[in-house]
């Protein structure tokens, strides 16, 4: 199962951390891949 942790800044520039697993992790990883030029 896909599982990872992502750090980001929210709309108020507060640093956030989100742990994802399963389908949610796959979706976010897919979108991150797009920002890195991976289109498969």
């Amino acid at each position: 199962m896909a599982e990872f942790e992502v750090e980001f800044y929210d709309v108020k520039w507060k640093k956030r951390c989100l742990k994802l697993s399963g389908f949610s992790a796959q979706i976010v990883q897919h979108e991150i891949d797009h920002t890195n030029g991976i289109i498969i």
Side-chain angles (χ1 to χ4, degrees):
M1 177 188 332
E3 186 175 305
F4 69 97
E5 189 172 314
V6 63
E7 291 182 352
F8 61 96
Y9 291 94
D10 67 12
V11 295
K12 294 183 179 181
W13 291 101
K14 183 176 179 185
K15 192 173 185 177
R16 300 285 187 165
C17 181
L18 185 61
K19 293 180 183 178
L20 300 166
S21 64
F23 189 65
S24 297
Q26 290 176 346
I27 296 298
V28 172
Q29 183 63 58
H30 173 81
E31 297 306 324
I32 291 170
D33 285 347
H34 282 312
T35 65
N36 292 324
I38 300 169
I39 57 173
I40 294 176

